[in-house]
Amino acid sequence: MGNGIAHVFARAGYAVVLRDVDQRFLDRAMESISKNLDREVKKDKISEAQKSAALARIRPVVDLPSLAAADFVVEAVPEQWDLKLRVLKDADSVVRPGVILATNTSSISITKLAAQTTRPENFVGMHFMNPVPVMVLVEVIRGLATSEATFQTTMSLCETLQKTPVAVNDSPGFVSNRVLMPMINEAAFAVMEGVATPEAVDAVMKTGMNHPMGPLELADFIGLDVCADILEVLFQGFGDPKYRACPLLRKYVAAGWLGRKSGRGFYKY
Ligand SMILES: NC(=O)c1ccc[n+]([C@@H]2O[C@H](COP(=O)([O-])OP(=O)(O)OC[C@H]3O[C@@H](n4cnc5c(N)ncnc54)[C@H](O)[C@@H]3O)[C@@H](O)[C@H]2O)c1
């Protein structure tokens, strides 16, 4: 997600500092960005010169002080509370007062993360969709303390990235995952109960509901571990059994069948 976010900011003309823990990851990210920009050149969305200019605007770094130059920060480290907390506190300690800290979290409370920084009023959720350069939605999530100015700045910023921002309040799963995950979970239950094969479930949703991907295909794309984790957040957050993760989904995760990234999920890759 981080390389996609850097991609769209750089393409829109912003200078980007892309930070990761190791140069290897940065090299891989720059390679992905270059390949993804190539795709846009091939589709005549941007010119070769625009591609080179966008790449030149990204400065990959591993050190923390380089972040001090930022006017806006988007955090996109793995979905673990302790890690996010450490990274956000680090950013909070080096950027100027008033600079907005945004998090791309899929499921952690914006209010709770914001409260751990010195700037809860300048803290916001900026939930990009995967793949970032392609998907136009950004859920912009207000924490309890998010100021109107922070919220409006983030909404406007999304528009300059040629994204469509949608305003959402802080609540487990926001809107995207609160609606999507129960559908994926129900599809998994249908397979577990022998109602239909994964192919049949996906065919119904693609051809009958006009979804571009079936729910199980999408679950494999997102990662079955990620789906199970988000369902757990919904289950804990609402205390409602309707969000309990399907046992088949949990079994696949336990087996290491995590979807596309592990070569096997509901489908084999
Ligand atoms: N994958 C998706 O479809 C998706 C969609 C929307 C939102 N998200 C959210 O985006 C975030 C990132 O997800 P991802 O799938 O890109 O994860 P990922 O594991 O693919 O990438 C995370 C990156 O963060 C880096 N990182 C780890 N620790 C770091 C640190 N201390 N400082 C700087 N960088 C560090 C890792 O090296 C890695 O490059 C998560 O919060 C996730 O919930 C993911």
Side-chain angles (χ1 to χ4, degrees):
M1 295 300 285
N3 77 61
I5 295 166
H7 173 141
V8 296
F9 273 84
R11 191 179 61 189
Y14 296 104
V16 176
V17 177
L18 176 62
R19 181 164 180 255
D20 208 311
V21 284
D22 196 295
Q23 188 59 41
R24 279 179 304 143
F25 303 139
L26 290 165
D27 293 344
R28 200 175 59 192
M30 292 304 286
E31 233 171 77
S32 301
I33 297 170
S34 179
K35 267 191 213 145
N36 291 334
L37 284 166
D38 275 338
R39 271 194 211 145
E40 294 177 7
V41 172
K42 273 195 198 107
K43 288 184 185 159
D44 277 336
K45 285 190 176 165
I46 57 168
S47 65
E48 195 62 59
Q50 283 170 315
K51 176 201 157 178
S52 309
L55 273 180
R57 283 187 203 106
I58 304 175
R59 189 158 62 92
V61 304
V62 287
D63 69 304
L64 178 63
S66 294
L67 276 195
D71 297 314
F72 192 98
V73 176
V74 186
E75 168 278 311
V77 300
E79 194 77 344
Q80 296 154 19
W81 167 257
D82 292 346
L83 178 60
K84 291 226 184 262
L85 204 59
R86 181 155 52 81
V87 168
L88 285 165
K89 275 181 182 275
D90 281 351
D92 188 29
S93 70
V94 295
V95 298
R96 296 186 309 281
V99 167
I100 295 171
L101 293 182
T103 173
N104 185 47
T105 180
S106 308
S107 61
I108 299 174
S109 163
I110 305 304
T111 304
K112 205 169 154 191
L113 284 172
Q116 299 294 321
T117 70
T118 62
R119 59 186 85 207
E121 66 290 351
N122 297 133
F123 196 97
V124 70
M126 203 176 186
H127 188 205
F128 288 87
M129 302 293 122
N130 188 11
V132 182
V134 179
M135 303 296 280
V136 292
L137 172 68
V138 182
E139 269 188 308
V140 178
I141 305 126
R142 286 182 218 255
L144 196 58
T146 305
S147 72
E148 189 56 25
T150 295
F151 176 74
Q152 291 303 341
T153 300
T154 309
M155 293 290 279
S156 308
L157 183 59
C158 288
E159 276 161 21
T160 69
L161 302 176
Q162 292 176 334
K163 299 291 178 198
T164 303
V166 176
V168 172
N169 289 324
D170 192 19
S171 176
F174 315 131
V175 169
S176 51
N177 283 320
R178 183 174 180 169
V179 175
L180 175 64
M181 288 302 156
M183 180 182 72
I184 286 175
N185 205 33
E186 207 54 41
F189 271 111
V191 172
M192 186 180 79
E193 291 166 11
V195 178
T197 61
E199 288 81 359
V201 170
D202 282 347
V204 167
M205 298 307 286
K206 281 194 282 192
T207 56
M209 318 301 163
N210 255 1
H211 290 197
M213 286 172 98
L216 298 171
E217 218 182 328
L218 181 57
D220 275 359
F221 178 72
I222 294 169
L224 301 187
D225 51 337
V226 175
C227 294
D229 286 348
I230 297 174
L231 282 160
E232 188 59 27
V233 167
L234 291 169
F235 183 60
Q236 294 298 333
F238 292 112
D240 187 330
K242 77 177 174 184
Y243 298 112
R244 75 203 186 286
C246 171
L248 183 65
L249 188 64
R250 288 185 187 285
K251 194 189 267 185
Y252 283 2
V253 173
W257 297 8
L258 306 180
R260 270 184 188 276
K261 62 185 168 190
S262 71
R264 181 151 192 190
F266 285 98
Y267 297 95
K268 283 187 186 159
Y269 300 91

